[in-house]
Amino acid sequence: MQLGFLTACLPDDDLAEIARWAVEQGFDALEVAGWPSPDPRNHIRVDRFDEAERDRVGRIFAETGLTLSSIAYYENNLHPHQGDQVNAHLRRCVDAAAALGCPTVGTFVGRDPGLPVRDNLERAAGVFKPLVAYAEDHGIELVIENCPMKSWHPDGYPGNLAYSPELWEWMFTLGLKLNYDPSHLVALGIDPVSAAMPYISEISHVQAKDTEILPEKINRFGFYGPISGEKGWYRFRVPGLGQIAWQQVIGALRDGGYDGVVSVEHEDPVWSGEPEKVRTGLGIAYRTLRHLVRG
């Protein structure tokens, strides 16, 4: 396995700068943000990907020796008004990944919040079958992160229909793969090791993020969280600062035959705000995971 991180946590930095820093710290890989402009999370300019952009990005990875593990574009592919635009950009991400020799593109299933889950699943089949076929024709796997995206639903219900093993099984029938992130399982009361073990052959990418449970908050709001805009009963942390047993998680992946990239997704509010704080958080994650990932 290799250890990397998702570049979205450093939106104001140039990809070349991020890559140089990653090598200096000992990282092996980068999962590179590919949102369209004006979103600053566009370290690969997928929306204007041409020969010059291909050469620029390819040169960065050739010179640093880093692995490009995935192009990241986590948006709502079932959005009732913007879904077509999201789907179109996802195809552009596939084109860029194929040109760069990158094996995966990461996204969300999403949801139309105005429809019940069963209707969304039917709609998703129609949306994703051609997307999966397009990716396969280009030698790319579409990987879905198991984040509930509760902020996408007006009542805080899951806005990304990929949050449980039951839904993973449904995704796999469409040809989608899993970008496994154990942090979201903890926040749903699911044991991340037990949940992952039957499906490791379907995991094509891994994101490493930790979860800290806040007891005083869950005692006030309960499992479903607050009805106001107040923060809920857990928060994401960099690996090593939450309650996930990373030795067990990485051990289960290794025992199941996973040998790909473990990519730190930095969403820790304590180690955010300034680029140096973000880098400190990435350093904490690196020291937590390096000996586990590399064996």
Side-chain angles (χ1 to χ4, degrees):
M1 283 187 275
Q2 292 182 304
L3 182 57
F5 64 88
L6 172 57
T7 65
C9 61
L10 293 166
D12 296 327
D13 289 3
D14 178 80
L15 179 60
E17 179 183 359
I18 294 172
R20 286 192 295 270
W21 182 86
V23 169
E24 291 170 359
Q25 303 308 305
F27 285 100
D28 310 302
L30 290 177
E31 177 186 4
V32 180
W35 275 261
S37 181
D39 194 309
R41 297 170 298 173
N42 56 10
H43 293 118
I44 291 178
R45 292 306 307 268
V46 173
D47 51 356
R48 59 182 194 196
F49 193 82
D50 55 14
E51 185 175 343
E53 180 68 354
R54 182 201 65 191
D55 292 346
R56 180 188 75 90
V57 176
R59 185 165 53 251
I60 290 169
F61 282 90
E63 291 176 352
T64 59
L66 292 167
T67 295
L68 173 55
S69 68
S70 192
I71 294 179
Y73 176 55
Y74 291 93
E75 288 292 350
N76 187 351
N77 281 279
L78 301 183
H79 193 286
H81 308 300
Q82 300 169 11
D84 289 345
Q85 297 97 300
V86 174
N87 302 160
H89 189 76
L90 185 62
R91 285 186 170 88
R92 289 192 285 271
C93 288
V94 168
D95 294 339
L100 292 165
C102 174
T104 70
V105 169
T107 191
F108 289 139
V109 171
R111 175 181 185 164
D112 181 340
L115 297 176
V117 170
R118 291 192 180 278
D119 290 351
N120 268 283
L121 297 183
E122 291 182 9
R123 183 163 175 261
V127 169
F128 273 97
K129 284 181 179 178
L131 290 173
V132 169
Y134 187 83
E136 289 178 346
D137 287 346
H138 289 74
I140 305 299
E141 290 184 323
L142 294 182
V143 296
I144 305 295
E145 183 188 351
N146 53 288
C147 175
M149 288 305 295
K150 295 187 293 182
S151 63
W152 283 355
H153 194 284
D155 289 322
Y157 300 143
N160 173 39
L161 298 180
Y163 54 85
S164 67
E166 177 186 22
L167 287 163
W168 300 349
E169 292 178 356
W170 162 78
M171 290 189 332
F172 301 151
T173 67
L174 303 181
L176 296 164
K177 297 292 185 177
L178 180 61
N179 188 5
Y180 167 68
D181 184 336
S183 68
H184 301 297
L185 296 169
V186 173
L188 290 170
I190 299 174
D191 173 48
V193 176
S194 298
M197 288 179 65
Y199 305 108
I200 291 177
S201 64
E202 303 287 349
I203 295 174
S204 292
H205 199 264
V206 171
Q207 287 184 332
K209 186 163 75 263
D210 219 325
T211 305
E212 179 185 10
I213 304 299
L214 306 172
E216 71 283 3
K217 296 286 189 178
I218 196 170
N219 287 338
R220 172 170 172 75
F221 301 123
F223 181 82
Y224 293 103
I227 62 172
S228 66
E230 188 173 346
K231 294 292 186 181
W233 53 270
Y234 62 88
R235 61 181 179 176
F236 295 125
R237 305 301 307 272
V238 293
L241 299 183
Q243 66 180 64
I244 292 177
W246 289 102
Q247 184 173 0
Q248 295 179 24
V249 169
I250 301 300
L253 291 168
R254 189 182 303 280
D255 291 346
Y258 181 77
D259 61 358
V261 170
V262 176
S263 177
V264 176
E265 184 184 18
H266 185 333
E267 294 182 350
D268 189 321
V270 177
W271 294 106
S272 293
E274 299 294 332
E276 282 308 311
K277 290 183 70 175
V278 172
R279 293 188 182 96
T280 298
L282 289 170
I284 294 169
Y286 176 82
R287 291 188 292 275
T288 300
L289 296 174
R290 61 182 174 184
H291 63 291
L292 300 174
V293 170
R294 292 171 181 163

